[in-house]
Amino acid sequence: MKVLKFGGTSVGSAQRMKEVAKLITGERNIVVLSAMSGTTNSLVEISDYLYKKNPDGANEVINKLAMKYYDHVEELYSTDEYKKKAKELIKHHFDYIRTFTKDLFTLFEEKVVLAQGELISTGMMNLYLNETGVFSVLLPALDYMRTDKNAEPDPVYIKERLEKMLEEHPDADLFITQGYICRNAYGEIDNLQRGGSDYSASLIGAAIDAEEIQIWTDIDGMHNNDPRFVEGTTPVRNLHFEEAAELAYFGAKILHPTCILPAKLNNIPVRLLNTMQPEAPGTLISNKTEKGKIKAVAAKDNITAIKIKSGRMLLATGFLRKVFETFENHQTPIDMVTTSEVGVSVTIDNRKNLEEIVDDLKKYGTVTVDEDMVIICVVGDLEWDNVGFEASIVDALKEVPVRMISYGGSNYNVSLLVKSTDKKQALQALSDHLFNS
Ligand code: ADP
Ligand code: ASP
Ligand code: MG
């Protein structure tokens, strides 16, 4: 069995849903769907109005969104019977969303509102398949996808529940399920964070020991640089799990950062494919490395660099421990670290406790903060005994001021910190130098 995940753009219109239906029929697989594109953003907007106690604002967005769905129904289904069923489905979900305009609105209600997008898209796809004679079965994610008290997925529960649910439908042609949504340890509706449908797919893949996890999106695989900022990017055909994880974590939006780990732990290949161009080979992510090759570049925004300089550091054991403990005490993860004999620089992307952190660090040295920075991450098989790749990376960036360089933490990446205003130039220069010359 395979797991096939289709993102928001892939199911973003009636026409796109029909294309997806063609791609998923014929094999008994599990198909994970996101909400139709734009829907989760609208649900966030609705929630925002409700937090601000503005039910009229919320209702305006709700009505506009509902109208769009009624239009999709007219285009997607051909029989009156299924148009009626689909309209009932949509009415049910939008009536439910409207109930939240009348009462207290908290984080709990927001999660319920956010879950409606995936519930609607999967319901619509399931009805469409049934109308076209495919015996598809809906697997409600809220019945098997669960996180524990640390908000981490609970793989044992997920596996047990899913196996049971699959056994209940031996005749099903295929299964449709929701990405993104889950229940938490208290049984409340929750989610796996924005973009989390990729994570759902890989958790499901791990739970059923899938033959392959396919992430279908609007581009032909992982490109060697961010196509939103760089011209002339090309798809990378093969990536190691570690390379893909680094790229996803450092900003390659095509993959949610958490998506790789469950696949890697269970050694399940992940294939990135393009719904608009299904015959394209895309990218295969597996446990195979291609020796000595620089594969791709990604960038992570909104980074803050903090430097702690201490004249007494040279002989001071425990200096680094105190510095790292300070970040730990304020529950702020560190991304990059560089050290010298007199100081240490680190980067964080969560600025929530920045003031307190800086305050505490002043006990240990002089503290300087650089905001609006970007981590540029160059990924590949970069084992230290391959010669030349650091030189080409640094050479590519000879026109760009670089605040930090980090290499050696893994064999898979070199990270560089630059100003966000230099991001586009730095990415383009790396592409020109590393891939296009
Ligand atoms: P989905 O809605 O299917 O989850 P996303 O928008 O989350 O799709 O991810 C696909 C997008 O990721 C692409 O349209 C592309 O703009 C962006 N992207 C960023 N970096 C890369 C990269 N290195 N390779 C491919 N796509 C990338
Ligand atoms: N629909 C959710 C979002 O837009 C989850 C996803 O698409 O992966 O974030
Ligand atoms: Mg995505």
Side-chain angles (χ1 to χ4, degrees), residues 332-346:
T332 303
I334 291 170
D335 276 324
M336 265 176 92
V337 184
T338 55
T339 60
S340 85
E341 207 48 70
V342 291
V344 52
S345 278
V346 303

Side-chain angles (χ1 to χ4, degrees), residues 392-404:
S392 16
I393 292 166
V394 172
D395 195 38
L397 295 180
K398 61 179 173 240
E399 308 287 343
V400 179
V402 176
R403 164 77 178 76
M404 286 164 71

Side-chain angles (χ1 to χ4, degrees), residues 192-368:
L192 301 172
Q193 312 287 332
R194 294 300 307 269
S197 294
D198 300 341
Y199 197 19
S200 305
S202 116
L203 291 166
I204 295 167
I208 63 158
D209 195 21
E211 179 191 330
E212 185 169 290
I213 297 161
Q214 298 182 349
I215 307 288
W216 288 80
T217 180
D218 57 0
I219 188 162
D220 51 346
M222 177 75 78
H223 277 218
N224 55 9
N225 208 328
D226 195 324
R228 294 168 299 178
F229 301 98
V230 174
E231 280 166 27
T233 62
T234 51
V236 183
R237 293 293 167 226
N238 293 287
L239 283 173
H240 187 269
F241 287 124
E242 300 283 351
E243 294 170 336
E246 300 270 8
L247 288 167
Y249 183 72
F250 286 106
K253 186 180 175 244
I254 186 170
L255 268 185
H256 193 264
T258 50
C259 159
I260 291 300
L261 188 64
K264 183 185 128 185
L265 292 177
N266 294 277
N267 198 17
I268 302 170
V270 178
R271 211 180 277 278
L272 309 181
L273 293 159
N274 186 356
T275 326
M276 329 281 167
Q277 205 190 330
E279 63 297 338
T283 300
L284 178 65
I285 303 165
S286 70
N287 61 3
K288 294 190 187 70
T289 31
E290 284 177 295
K291 287 280 159 217
K293 257 182 101 169
I294 296 183
K295 292 295 190 58
V297 179
K300 189 171 179 187
D301 299 319
N302 300 318
I303 302 294
T304 302
I306 304 163
K307 180 160 73 187
I308 308 104
K309 223 175 80 188
S310 160
R312 286 165 297 147
M313 184 186 169
L314 179 63
L315 296 172
T317 56
F319 174 78
L320 285 176
R321 178 178 55 74
K322 286 184 218 149
V323 168
F324 289 141
E325 250 173 22
T326 307
F327 288 88
E328 191 186 339
N329 293 342
H330 294 287
Q331 287 176 346
T332 303
I334 291 170
D335 276 324
M336 265 176 92
V337 184
T338 55
T339 60
S340 85
E341 207 48 70
V342 291
V344 52
S345 278
V346 303
T347 71
I348 57 171
D349 73 342
N350 176 357
R351 299 167 33 89
K352 205 170 132 225
N353 300 319
L354 181 63
E355 237 175 84
E356 293 91 328
I357 291 171
V358 169
D359 225 37
D360 282 359
L361 287 173
K362 283 182 178 159
K363 286 184 234 158
Y364 312 122
T366 317
V367 183
T368 27

Side-chain angles (χ1 to χ4, degrees), residues 73 77-87 126-128 130-131:
V73 168
Y77 305 93
S78 42
T79 61
D80 287 342
E81 183 195 348
Y82 276 88
K83 283 184 188 177
K84 185 163 172 271
K85 284 187 187 183
K87 281 182 196 157
N126 194 48
L127 284 176
Y128 177 69
N130 292 169
E131 185 184 41

Side-chain angles (χ1 to χ4, degrees), residues 115-142:
Q116 303 309 308
E118 270 70 11
L119 291 168
I120 299 174
S121 65
T122 48
M124 283 173 68
M125 178 63 86
N126 194 48
L127 284 176
Y128 177 69
L129 290 165
N130 292 169
E131 185 184 41
T132 55
V134 178
F135 180 36
S136 57
V137 167
L138 263 185
L139 298 175
L142 299 180

Side-chain angles (χ1 to χ4, degrees), residues 140-158:
L142 299 180
D143 291 351
Y144 68 85
M145 191 55 80
R146 193 165 85 170
T147 53
D148 63 17
K149 285 191 175 139
N150 302 316
E152 292 293 333
D154 180 343
V156 178
Y157 180 90
I158 298 168

